């Protein structure tokens, strides 16, 4: 892949974003880690290079990371900063860009329990994202059921599925092509963006399973041949 195919990961200094950055970089995908603080992003890029010496990775402000990316911008920030982060990069997004929203509206965001979700007025976190991107930019949601800890541990076999939702098949195909480079991750098209409400609701079930079984559970869709 060339640098014009770089994937921006906003919130790439955090648990999910950093794990994803590591897995993509290890798969040879150029990555730009975004942060509210460019220095913090640069530090994260350096940490990543220490673990993956072949990584093509930079760390920039969320705005510069979005501008430097190809079509794909991953949003990996807490629910409470999802809308503000999207508004902060509106000028850097261009027509045809895809925002991959990973937000799970878990109740701890408002002081509740991690095994519960909160209702989002738009219907789902993904639909809330779609309502806050400029015209011509589309939202695909995914990665909700992936454990950040498992992603970050490159010695761990992922061997699981991730469900993606979106209203344009071509955009989902692009996301699947990029994420599909991660070893052991199977990308499954779960339908239109409004289905994301149901997918986002799987995470609190996994959180409960993780608490009971002391593990990092994921999901696997069976019966799909040639995927
Ligand atoms: N953790 C998981 O296993 C997991 C799995 C699936 C989905 N998700 C989803 O992925 C998103 C990120 O989760 P995470 O666990 O990676 O979160 P996190 O580590 O707490 O935060 C990720 C990054 O978001 C940025 N951020 C922006 N506004 C923030 C604020 N007000 N408070 C704290 N950080 C803020 C921070 O980057 P800067 O300070 O550098 O800007 C931070 O490093 C969430 O929406 C979550 O639902 C997480």
């Amino acid at each position: 892949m060339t640098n014009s195919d770089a994937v921006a990961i906003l919130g790439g200094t955090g648990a999910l974003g950093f794990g994803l950055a590591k897995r993509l970089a290890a798969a040879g995908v150029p990555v730009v880690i975004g942060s509210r603080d460019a220095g913090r992003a640069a530090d994260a890029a350096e940490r990543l290079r220490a673990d993956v010496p072949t990584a093509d990775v930079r760390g920039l402000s969320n705005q510069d990371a979005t501008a430097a990316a190809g079509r794909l911008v991953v949003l990996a920030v807490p629910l409470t900063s999802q809308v503000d982060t999207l508004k902060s990069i509106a000028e850097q997004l261009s027509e045809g860009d895809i925002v991959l929203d990973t937000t799970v509206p878990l109740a701890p965001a408002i002081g509740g329990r991690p095994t519960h979700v909160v209702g989002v007025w738009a219907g789902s976190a993904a639909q809330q994202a779609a309502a806050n991107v400029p015209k011509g930019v589309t939202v695909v949601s995914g990665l909700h059921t992936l454990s950040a800890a498992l992603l970050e541990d490159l010695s761990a076999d992922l061997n699981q599925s991730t469900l993606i939702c979106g209203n344009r098949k071509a955009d989902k195909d692009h996301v699947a092509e990029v994420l599909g480079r991660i070893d052991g991750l199977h990308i499954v098209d779960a339908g239109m963006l409004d289905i994301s409400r149901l997918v986002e609701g799987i995470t609190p079930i996994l959180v409960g399973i993780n608490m009971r079984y002391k593990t990092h559970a994921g999901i696997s869709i069976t019966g799909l041949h040639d995927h």
Side-chain angles (χ1 to χ4, degrees):
M1 290 182 103
T2 69
N3 221 272
S4 59
D5 299 314
V7 175
I9 305 180
L10 313 184
T13 54
L16 182 78
F18 189 72
L20 177 67
K22 228 167 141 174
R23 290 279 177 169
L24 285 174
V29 177
V31 169
V32 191
I33 289 177
S35 167
R36 291 169 295 177
D37 179 308
R40 207 157 41 234
D43 288 348
E46 205 174 306
R47 260 193 300 137
L48 199 159
R49 264 191 302 272
D51 290 342
V52 185
T54 55
D56 178 348
V57 59
R58 286 182 287 164
L60 301 171
S61 68
N62 283 332
Q63 290 74 21
D64 289 346
T66 304
R71 289 185 66 202
L72 189 55
V73 176
V74 181
L75 189 62
V77 301
L79 174 70
T80 44
S81 20
Q82 185 205 36
V83 171
D84 282 352
T85 306
L86 286 172
K87 284 186 175 160
S88 77
I89 56 155
E91 276 181 27
Q92 286 75 32
L93 285 169
S94 331
E95 186 159 353
D97 282 352
I98 302 168
V99 171
L100 173 63
D101 184 59
T102 67
T103 314
V104 179
L106 282 182
I110 56 157
R113 293 163 64 167
T115 46
H116 292 167
V117 282
V118 289
V120 180
W121 280 110
S124 62
Q127 288 164 289
Q128 177 165 279
N132 284 283
V133 293
K135 201 165 173 282
V137 174
T138 54
V139 170
V140 171
S141 74
L143 302 177
H144 312 94
T145 55
L146 272 172
S147 149
L150 209 59
L151 272 178
E152 218 212 303
D153 178 3
L154 292 181
S155 69
D157 186 4
L158 287 181
N159 188 27
Q160 63 187 279
S161 310
T162 187
L163 302 177
I164 62 170
C165 302
N167 293 341
R168 288 190 53 202
K169 184 171 181 311
D171 293 338
K172 287 185 281 193
D173 287 348
H174 183 77
V175 169
E177 199 273 314
V178 176
L179 293 182
R181 290 168 184 255
I182 297 176
D183 204 31
L185 185 62
H186 311 293
I187 321 302
V188 181
D189 181 352
M192 303 289 272
L193 202 65
D194 59 351
I195 298 296
S196 193
R197 180 176 63 84
L198 304 172
V199 177
E200 291 164 23
I202 299 172
T203 304
I205 301 172
L206 293 176
V207 170
I209 291 171
N210 289 344
M211 285 157 67
R212 279 188 293 282
Y213 290 85
K214 311 262 179 282
T215 188
H216 299 295
I219 61 162
S220 188
I221 305 297
T222 60
L224 297 176
H225 305 294
D226 304 325
H227 277 270

